Amino acid sequence: MRPVIHTENLTKFYGKQRGVLDLDILVESGEVFGFLGPNGAGKTTTIRVLLDFIRPTRGRAVIFGLDAQEQSTEIRRRIGYLPGELELYEKLSGAELLRYFANLRGGVDWSYVEELAERFDCDLAKHIRSLSRGNKQKIGLIQAFMNKPELLILDEPTSGLDPLMQHEFAHLIGEVKSEGRAVFVSSHIMPEVEHICDHVGIIREGQLVAIEDIETLKGRAIRRLEIHFSSSVPPEPFANLPGVQDVLVADGILRCTVKGSLDAVIKAAAQFEVVNIISQEPSLEEIFLAYYGGGDHAA
Ligand SMILES: Nc1ncnc2c1ncn2[C@@H]1O[C@H](COP(=O)(O)OP(=O)(O)O)[C@@H](O)[C@H]1O
Ligand SMILES: [Mg+2]
């Protein structure tokens, strides 16, 4: 594996206003890195520094082994970028705009553009100004993906996409990954991106509070469990089981959260007649909140 993005102590202040603080990020080829945090956390700031739209106050970023400041022209040629606040030339049609971007990049395989438009159910003949926010977002995505770049940097790409399109987007990310290309994707909505990421970095108030690989996180599963009995049951057998919390017994239903193995609670339940068991996988968001604490900064 070769690092595609590497930052060291990357810090940006806007005057006295904190942008981001001492970020150490490593993204390797063939990896999808989710950069997650609430609004104002510093995601867009980080991305703008990576693309050299703004300069860091201290620290540095290296992309493809090149210095993000000194060699930004070369780097940008090899990146597909979707900005967070997308602004498109309203007077052009989708096709015209994409042709314009394609020319800037020295030409792209137009049949791939058409394939992407088809997959995103996007009518390229329409003028940009007549498109809904979601459809503009699709044009932005096609623009980012169309030259099959080595690295995609996507700032909140799923915002405004309906579930079907989010599914198609996830599919596309899978293809990028299988071709050994890398993706850096920001989001403030963890469930929208958790299934596409290999690693996630959580940013809060400008600082990375955790970087974890998805499998480790899922291994820490905290499940919400509901067991329905044929008649009412006493709470005592469920009160002090290992890893079992938030126990509530009422109307013949046990509700609790379980960290790790379900064995103890299942064995305790087995002495009564069980009608149904509902086990809910937690979202990564819940796992993060449980392990890192949330305050009001839910990622
Ligand atoms: N141009 C700017 N001037 C001053 N402060 C800014 C500017 N851009 C962003 N900030 C501040 O930097 C912090 C991070 O913002 P941003 O990177 O846009 O967060 P995110 O993309 O995670 O929502 C916020 O406190 C924001 O107010
Ligand atoms: Mg942003």
Side-chain angles (χ1 to χ4, degrees), residues 14-15 17-20 37-46 48 85 155-156 186 203:
Y14 299 97
Q17 167 71 41
R18 176 275 302 161
V20 293
N39 288 326
K43 303 180 296 297
T44 298
T45 297
T46 306
R48 289 197 177 131
E85 290 99 46
D155 198 355
E156 311 232 9
S186 81
I203 183 170

mmCIF file of all heavy atoms in Angstrom, residues 14-15 17-20 37-46 48 85 155-156 186 203, ligand 1:
data_model
loop_
_atom_site.group_PDB
_atom_site.id
_atom_site.type_symbol
_atom_site.label_atom_id
_atom_site.label_comp_id
_atom_site.label_asym_id
_atom_site.label_seq_id
_atom_site.Cartn_x
_atom_site.Cartn_y
_atom_site.Cartn_z
ATOM 1 N N TYR A 14 -8.473 30.717 10.572
ATOM 2 C CA TYR A 14 -8.954 31.876 9.817
ATOM 3 C C TYR A 14 -8.836 33.057 10.778
ATOM 4 O O TYR A 14 -9.722 33.244 11.609
ATOM 5 C CB TYR A 14 -10.405 31.703 9.406
ATOM 6 C CG TYR A 14 -10.687 30.512 8.512
ATOM 7 C CD1 TYR A 14 -11.145 29.307 9.041
ATOM 8 C CD2 TYR A 14 -10.521 30.602 7.127
ATOM 9 C CE1 TYR A 14 -11.425 28.221 8.234
ATOM 10 C CE2 TYR A 14 -10.805 29.517 6.304
ATOM 11 C CZ TYR A 14 -11.253 28.333 6.864
ATOM 12 O OH TYR A 14 -11.544 27.266 6.053
ATOM 13 N N GLY A 15 -7.752 33.802 10.721
ATOM 14 C CA GLY A 15 -7.519 34.800 11.761
ATOM 15 C C GLY A 15 -7.415 34.070 13.094
ATOM 16 O O GLY A 15 -6.591 33.170 13.233
ATOM 17 N N GLN A 17 -10.062 32.509 14.271
ATOM 18 C CA GLN A 17 -11.087 31.463 14.210
ATOM 19 C C GLN A 17 -10.457 30.109 13.867
ATOM 20 O O GLN A 17 -9.767 29.977 12.863
ATOM 21 C CB GLN A 17 -12.127 31.864 13.158
ATOM 22 C CG GLN A 17 -13.098 30.786 12.735
ATOM 23 C CD GLN A 17 -14.103 30.453 13.816
ATOM 24 O OE1 GLN A 17 -14.610 31.334 14.499
ATOM 25 N NE2 GLN A 17 -14.379 29.166 13.974
ATOM 26 N N ARG A 18 -10.723 29.131 14.694
ATOM 27 C CA ARG A 18 -10.209 27.783 14.455
ATOM 28 C C ARG A 18 -10.835 27.173 13.197
ATOM 29 O O ARG A 18 -12.038 27.196 13.008
ATOM 30 C CB ARG A 18 -10.538 26.932 15.690
ATOM 31 C CG ARG A 18 -10.190 25.473 15.625
ATOM 32 C CD ARG A 18 -11.233 24.586 14.957
ATOM 33 N NE ARG A 18 -12.551 24.641 15.572
ATOM 34 C CZ ARG A 18 -13.654 24.257 14.961
ATOM 35 N NH1 ARG A 18 -13.637 23.850 13.710
ATOM 36 N NH2 ARG A 18 -14.806 24.316 15.583
ATOM 37 N N GLY A 19 -9.984 26.677 12.314
ATOM 38 C CA GLY A 19 -10.476 25.884 11.187
ATOM 39 C C GLY A 19 -10.273 24.419 11.526
ATOM 40 O O GLY A 19 -11.222 23.721 11.891
ATOM 41 N N VAL A 20 -9.013 23.950 11.440
ATOM 42 C CA VAL A 20 -8.672 22.581 11.874
ATOM 43 C C VAL A 20 -7.340 22.607 12.623
ATOM 44 O O VAL A 20 -6.506 23.494 12.396
ATOM 45 C CB VAL A 20 -8.566 21.583 10.689
ATOM 46 C CG1 VAL A 20 -9.927 21.370 10.058
ATOM 47 C CG2 VAL A 20 -7.554 22.051 9.656
ATOM 48 N N GLY A 37 -18.088 14.267 10.596
ATOM 49 C CA GLY A 37 -18.205 15.218 11.684
ATOM 50 C C GLY A 37 -19.355 16.173 11.437
ATOM 51 O O GLY A 37 -19.806 16.332 10.308
ATOM 52 N N PRO A 38 -19.822 16.805 12.499
ATOM 53 C CA PRO A 38 -20.967 17.714 12.368
ATOM 54 C C PRO A 38 -20.593 18.987 11.600
ATOM 55 O O PRO A 38 -19.414 19.239 11.343
ATOM 56 C CB PRO A 38 -21.324 18.040 13.816
ATOM 57 C CG PRO A 38 -20.087 17.782 14.591
ATOM 58 C CD PRO A 38 -19.334 16.709 13.884
ATOM 59 N N ASN A 39 -21.581 19.763 11.259
ATOM 60 C CA ASN A 39 -21.340 21.026 10.562
ATOM 61 C C ASN A 39 -20.417 21.902 11.389
ATOM 62 O O ASN A 39 -20.557 21.988 12.601
ATOM 63 C CB ASN A 39 -22.653 21.759 10.303
ATOM 64 C CG ASN A 39 -23.461 21.056 9.229
ATOM 65 O OD1 ASN A 39 -22.897 20.480 8.291
ATOM 66 N ND2 ASN A 39 -24.778 21.062 9.366
ATOM 67 N N GLY A 40 -19.456 22.522 10.706
ATOM 68 C CA GLY A 40 -18.535 23.417 11.395
ATOM 69 C C GLY A 40 -17.326 22.712 11.989
ATOM 70 O O GLY A 40 -16.450 23.349 12.572
ATOM 71 N N ALA A 41 -17.246 21.390 11.820
ATOM 72 C CA ALA A 41 -16.154 20.620 12.433
ATOM 73 C C ALA A 41 -14.811 20.881 11.751
ATOM 74 O O ALA A 41 -13.757 20.760 12.373
ATOM 75 C CB ALA A 41 -16.478 19.131 12.396
ATOM 76 N N GLY A 42 -14.848 21.189 10.447
ATOM 77 C CA GLY A 42 -13.591 21.455 9.737
ATOM 78 C C GLY A 42 -13.366 20.576 8.515
ATOM 79 O O GLY A 42 -12.266 20.534 7.966
ATOM 80 N N LYS A 43 -14.405 19.918 8.035
ATOM 81 C CA LYS A 43 -14.259 19.007 6.894
ATOM 82 C C LYS A 43 -13.906 19.771 5.622
ATOM 83 O O LYS A 43 -12.947 19.439 4.926
ATOM 84 C CB LYS A 43 -15.565 18.215 6.692
ATOM 85 C CG LYS A 43 -16.004 17.419 7.921
ATOM 86 C CD LYS A 43 -17.286 16.651 7.697
ATOM 87 C CE LYS A 43 -18.519 17.504 7.429
ATOM 88 N NZ LYS A 43 -18.894 18.384 8.570
ATOM 89 N N THR A 44 -14.687 20.796 5.319
ATOM 90 C CA THR A 44 -14.446 21.559 4.094
ATOM 91 C C THR A 44 -13.094 22.275 4.152
ATOM 92 O O THR A 44 -12.373 22.335 3.150
ATOM 93 C CB THR A 44 -15.605 22.553 3.853
ATOM 94 O OG1 THR A 44 -16.809 21.800 3.679
ATOM 95 C CG2 THR A 44 -15.375 23.409 2.620
ATOM 96 N N THR A 45 -12.754 22.782 5.317
ATOM 97 C CA THR A 45 -11.454 23.434 5.487
ATOM 98 C C THR A 45 -10.323 22.469 5.118
ATOM 99 O O THR A 45 -9.414 22.812 4.356
ATOM 100 C CB THR A 45 -11.281 23.911 6.946
ATOM 101 O OG1 THR A 45 -12.286 24.883 7.223
ATOM 102 C CG2 THR A 45 -9.901 24.504 7.183
ATOM 103 N N THR A 46 -10.395 21.260 5.640
ATOM 104 C CA THR A 46 -9.378 20.242 5.350
ATOM 105 C C THR A 46 -9.279 19.997 3.851
ATOM 106 O O THR A 46 -8.182 19.981 3.276
ATOM 107 C CB THR A 46 -9.737 18.915 6.062
ATOM 108 O OG1 THR A 46 -9.930 19.183 7.442
ATOM 109 C CG2 THR A 46 -8.646 17.879 5.865
ATOM 110 N N ARG A 48 -10.206 21.908 1.391
ATOM 111 C CA ARG A 48 -9.678 23.074 0.663
ATOM 112 C C ARG A 48 -8.170 23.182 0.798
ATOM 113 O O ARG A 48 -7.490 23.630 -0.126
ATOM 114 C CB ARG A 48 -10.361 24.348 1.155
ATOM 115 C CG ARG A 48 -11.809 24.420 0.701
ATOM 116 C CD ARG A 48 -12.373 25.825 0.825
ATOM 117 N NE ARG A 48 -13.724 25.864 0.307
ATOM 118 C CZ ARG A 48 -14.754 26.407 0.942
ATOM 119 N NH1 ARG A 48 -14.566 26.987 2.122
ATOM 120 N NH2 ARG A 48 -15.945 26.399 0.400
ATOM 121 N N GLU A 85 -20.180 23.199 -1.638
ATOM 122 C CA GLU A 85 -21.182 24.125 -2.164
ATOM 123 C C GLU A 85 -20.981 24.219 -3.667
ATOM 124 O O GLU A 85 -20.147 24.963 -4.159
ATOM 125 C CB GLU A 85 -21.059 25.515 -1.543
ATOM 126 C CG GLU A 85 -21.476 25.577 -0.086
ATOM 127 C CD GLU A 85 -20.292 25.528 0.855
ATOM 128 O OE1 GLU A 85 -19.319 26.254 0.606
ATOM 129 O OE2 GLU A 85 -20.335 24.746 1.818
ATOM 130 N N ASP A 155 -16.849 16.260 -1.099
ATOM 131 C CA ASP A 155 -17.305 16.985 0.093
ATOM 132 C C ASP A 155 -18.823 16.849 0.216
ATOM 133 O O ASP A 155 -19.574 17.476 -0.530
ATOM 134 C CB ASP A 155 -16.878 18.457 -0.016
ATOM 135 C CG ASP A 155 -16.920 19.177 1.337
ATOM 136 O OD1 ASP A 155 -17.368 18.569 2.331
ATOM 137 O OD2 ASP A 155 -16.510 20.360 1.379
ATOM 138 N N GLU A 156 -19.257 16.019 1.112
ATOM 139 C CA GLU A 156 -20.674 15.739 1.363
ATOM 140 C C GLU A 156 -21.435 15.356 0.086
ATOM 141 O O GLU A 156 -22.459 15.966 -0.246
ATOM 142 C CB GLU A 156 -21.348 16.950 2.042
ATOM 143 C CG GLU A 156 -20.527 17.447 3.224
ATOM 144 C CD GLU A 156 -21.301 17.578 4.520
ATOM 145 O OE1 GLU A 156 -22.448 17.124 4.580
ATOM 146 O OE2 GLU A 156 -20.714 18.113 5.485
ATOM 147 N N SER A 186 -16.319 13.204 2.707
ATOM 148 C CA SER A 186 -16.774 13.803 3.968
ATOM 149 C C SER A 186 -18.281 13.671 4.089
ATOM 150 O O SER A 186 -18.993 13.568 3.082
ATOM 151 C CB SER A 186 -16.373 15.276 4.046
ATOM 152 O OG SER A 186 -17.289 16.074 3.327
ATOM 153 N N ILE A 203 -14.084 13.896 13.068
ATOM 154 C CA ILE A 203 -13.580 15.233 13.382
ATOM 155 C C ILE A 203 -14.641 16.004 14.151
ATOM 156 O O ILE A 203 -15.827 16.007 13.778
ATOM 157 C CB ILE A 203 -13.110 15.974 12.106
ATOM 158 C CG1 ILE A 203 -12.517 17.332 12.452
ATOM 159 C CG2 ILE A 203 -14.212 16.078 11.056
ATOM 160 C CD1 ILE A 203 -11.808 18.022 11.303
HETATM 161 N N1 LIG B 1 -13.705 31.587 5.189
HETATM 162 C C1 LIG B 1 -13.807 31.413 6.510
HETATM 163 N N2 LIG B 1 -13.562 32.424 7.360
HETATM 164 C C2 LIG B 1 -13.654 32.273 8.698
HETATM 165 N N3 LIG B 1 -14.002 31.124 9.290
HETATM 166 C C3 LIG B 1 -14.269 30.076 8.503
HETATM 167 C C4 LIG B 1 -14.177 30.156 7.072
HETATM 168 N N4 LIG B 1 -14.500 28.951 6.554
HETATM 169 C C5 LIG B 1 -14.767 28.145 7.610
HETATM 170 N N5 LIG B 1 -14.628 28.813 8.771
HETATM 171 C C6 LIG B 1 -14.813 28.270 10.123
HETATM 172 O O1 LIG B 1 -14.003 27.122 10.267
HETATM 173 C C7 LIG B 1 -14.685 26.099 10.969
HETATM 174 C C8 LIG B 1 -14.766 24.861 10.106
HETATM 175 O O2 LIG B 1 -15.629 25.098 9.012
HETATM 176 P P1 LIG B 1 -15.804 24.060 7.822
HETATM 177 O O3 LIG B 1 -14.461 23.553 7.435
HETATM 178 O O4 LIG B 1 -16.615 24.713 6.770
HETATM 179 O O5 LIG B 1 -16.615 22.897 8.537
HETATM 180 P P2 LIG B 1 -17.484 21.704 7.912
HETATM 181 O O6 LIG B 1 -17.149 21.593 6.457
HETATM 182 O O7 LIG B 1 -17.069 20.510 8.711
HETATM 183 O O8 LIG B 1 -18.910 22.051 8.144
HETATM 184 C C9 LIG B 1 -16.044 26.663 11.331
HETATM 185 O O9 LIG B 1 -15.977 27.150 12.634
HETATM 186 C C10 LIG B 1 -16.231 27.786 10.335
HETATM 187 O O10 LIG B 1 -17.018 28.808 10.876
#
